[in-house]
Structures are given as structure tokens and as C-alpha cells.
Amino acid sequence: MRAHVELIHEDDYIFHTGELPYGEGKILERRLSTDEEDGSSSLSLHAGADWGRSAGIVHADTEFYVVEGSMLYGGQELGAGGYVQVPKGTAMDWLKIREGSRVLHWREYGDCGFDPFTNLGEASAAASPESAEGVTVMDAGKMEWTEAPSVGPLTPLYIKLLHRDPKTGFYTRLIRAPKGWTDHRLAHHPCYEEFYTLAGKMAYNFGDIDEGTYCFRPARVKHGHFVAETEIDWILRSDGELTNWYTTDEWVKYGGHAENYDEHDGHIHPILSSLPVRSRSRGEWSGDGM
């Protein structure tokens, strides 16, 4: 399991050489969070020069999202908001990230392993027959925002769904909260939740959220007390259906009234969390929300 990361700003993290086998060019990565048990990672890639690699087969569910600049996937150029998802064991086409670009990159249920091939046809012929789901390529800039269901947050949120696994419910989506969006309750979920902030600012019990802040929150960890000081956008991922279980009238440190869940059900009640990983620019934290 990955550590509870809340909050860090990516600028507080050091650069490593990008762990993207068989690539050519210059790519650096900041490791936002990693799972040393299976290799799952959330990374921020920075291209110091053009970087690219051939078609091949990925060893993990793989995603790329362009924050700034552009990348090419199989000849299709994707600017800011461009998104590619490749299921584990599936063939992906050649990829190029242009110099100066910033790209978020995720690997899930596997490590950075990659089997290179001369072209997509050869890679597809060698790919796992179980990898029936194809590659998803999206341009979020051409998508319309849709209002999220009203169940849960007290005021409307807006979404752009980039990908959802039909079997597991694992999804990646963009979330927009309007200025003034607020929720005073504490929530926890049956799945993990991670986000990277693309724009805007929000006051939050774990610290200020602004562009470049990141969170990885394991399942059933409580969080809350949001106030959007400006319109704010995130890219958000969860490894299952995100159900909100709310706690109100919370005690000073832990506990409270279980508003819409059974506090005696060992499968859904919130768990005690150790102190989260936080980066220096987020400042001191009072423990509020725990």
C-alpha cells in the first residue's frame, strides 16, 4: 500500500532520471507517490529535451496527461489536456514528449517494464490475448464539463470523465469546483483517492491547495473542511467507485456521529491514520480532520 500523502507540492520534491525504459532523449521525474510492493507510481515528468520511445507492450495500467506543452501518440499531437490510457499487457504506439513539456504519468498494478517493438503491428501481435480493452486517447480541451450527481457534496462539482475500467470501476477524471464551493463535513471512501491540482486555490484542513499540490489518500482515511477560494481544477483518480461516507459533530481528534454509514461495520468505518507525508511548503498542520 502507498503512504498517505497529504499535502505535498511537487516543487518541494527532487528530480530523478525518468524511469521509462527504452526511451531516447532527456526526461526527468518527480516521484509524487510510489508503491514499492507492486511498482505502482504517480509521477510528474519534465522533458529537458525531446524524449520518445518506440511502440511496445506495457507491464502496468499506464496513463499520461499533458499539463503543459505537448506529446505525440502514434503521430497524433496532444496539447495541454491530452490524455492516453493503455491497459496492462496492451500494445501502445510510439510516444514522444516535446522539450519543455510537463506530463503527469501513472503506472498501476505493475512497474515500469516495457517490451519494445519496431512498430505497433508487431507489438499488437505479441500482446496478451487477455488485454481486450483498447487504448484510450482523449483531448480534454474539446470535452464539455458535466455537472456531477448531487448526492454527496453540498454544492455542484463538474467533471470530465477520461477513463473508467468497466470491471473494477477504477476511473480518472477532471474535477472542477466553482469559487465558493464548500463542504464542512468529514468524508471517507471505500477506495483510494488521489489528485493533482491543475489550477486554482482552496483552503483545506490539511493545508492550502494550489496549482502543483498533490494528495494520495488510502481508502477509509477521513478528510474534509473544503472552501474553494477560486475556481479550482484537479485531475483525480480512484481505484473503485467513490462513495462518500460522512462524519459530522466530530470529536477533537477522532470520532463523531456516523451520518450515513454504520460505525460498527468493520468494512466501512474510518480507520485511524498515521501522520500523512507532507512537504515543507505546506507549513504546520494542526491535526484537524483526523
Side-chain angles (χ1 to χ4, degrees):
M1 176 180 285
R2 282 190 256 185
H4 179 198
V5 178
E6 194 155 31
L7 295 164
I8 65 99
H9 194 287
E10 79 149 291
D11 287 347
D12 293 330
Y13 273 25
I14 64 173
F15 282 112
H16 301 265
T17 300
E19 194 177 19
L20 293 157
Y22 301 101
E24 296 182 359
K26 185 176 181 181
I27 196 89
L28 300 175
E29 67 183 30
R30 283 172 168 152
R31 298 170 184 170
L32 304 176
S33 69
T34 60
D35 187 329
E36 292 295 338
E37 292 181 324
D38 68 2
S40 298
S41 299
S42 299
L43 308 166
S44 178
L45 304 179
H46 293 242
D50 285 354
W51 175 92
R53 72 180 178 190
S54 68
I57 298 172
V58 293
H59 293 194
D61 287 354
T62 299
E63 296 172 89
F64 297 89
Y65 179 84
V66 180
V67 177
E68 181 180 12
S70 67
M71 70 180 180
L72 287 86
Y73 178 76
Q76 179 179 351
E77 186 149 13
L78 299 165
Y83 172 79
V84 174
Q85 195 274 348
V86 186
K88 182 176 182 176
T90 299
M92 68 176 293
D93 212 336
W94 63 270
L95 183 75
K96 180 177 182 179
I97 299 176
R98 294 195 183 277
E99 180 178 358
S101 297
R102 293 192 297 125
V103 177
L104 297 174
H105 173 43
W106 298 272
R107 297 189 294 263
E108 206 73 40
Y109 311 127
D111 59 20
C112 65
F114 181 80
D115 303 325
F117 286 85
T118 303
N119 55 56
L120 181 60
E122 290 185 3
S124 298
S128 168
E130 289 82 21
S131 61
E133 184 185 3
V135 176
T136 299
V137 181
M138 307 282 286
D139 182 352
K142 296 180 179 179
M143 300 171 65
E144 296 293 329
W145 291 101
T146 60
E147 187 171 330
S150 59
V151 177
L154 298 176
T155 49
L157 290 171
Y158 300 90
I159 67 171
K160 293 182 180 182
L161 181 63
L162 300 177
H163 183 265
R164 180 187 291 273
D165 187 308
K167 294 180 181 178
T168 66
F170 196 118
Y171 71 82
T172 300
R173 61 184 174 181
L174 299 178
I175 300 286
R176 170 168 289 177
K179 181 179 180 180
W181 181 86
T182 184
D183 199 335
H184 65 278
R185 300 170 295 182
L186 296 179
H188 65 286
H189 315 298
C191 56
Y192 83 53
E193 181 180 32
E194 77 169 332
F195 66 77
Y196 182 94
T197 311
L198 300 170
K201 187 174 182 181
M202 171 174 281
Y204 176 42
N205 65 290
F206 283 104
D208 287 341
I209 296 174
D210 53 16
E211 182 178 345
T213 52
Y214 170 81
C215 162
F216 181 93
R217 186 183 307 115
R220 296 164 58 199
V221 171
K222 287 196 298 186
H223 56 287
H225 307 321
F226 301 100
V227 180
E229 298 175 350
T230 68
E231 181 178 82
I232 185 168
D233 294 344
W234 305 276
I235 185 163
L236 187 147
R237 303 170 73 248
S238 284
D239 63 342
E241 190 64 36
L242 195 150
T243 301
N244 287 295
W245 293 320
Y246 289 112
T247 300
T248 53
D249 300 325
E250 64 270 14
W251 306 333
V252 174
K253 287 294 183 183
Y254 183 79
H257 170 67
E259 181 176 317
N260 65 339
Y261 62 93
D262 182 356
E263 64 183 327
H264 302 295
D265 186 334
H267 296 289
I268 67 173
H269 67 65
I271 61 174
L272 285 168
S273 173
S274 59
L275 294 177
V277 176
R278 306 183 75 249
S279 63
R280 62 175 63 92
S281 68
R282 298 305 91 188
E284 295 296 322
W285 172 55
S286 67
D288 180 33
M290 301 302 288

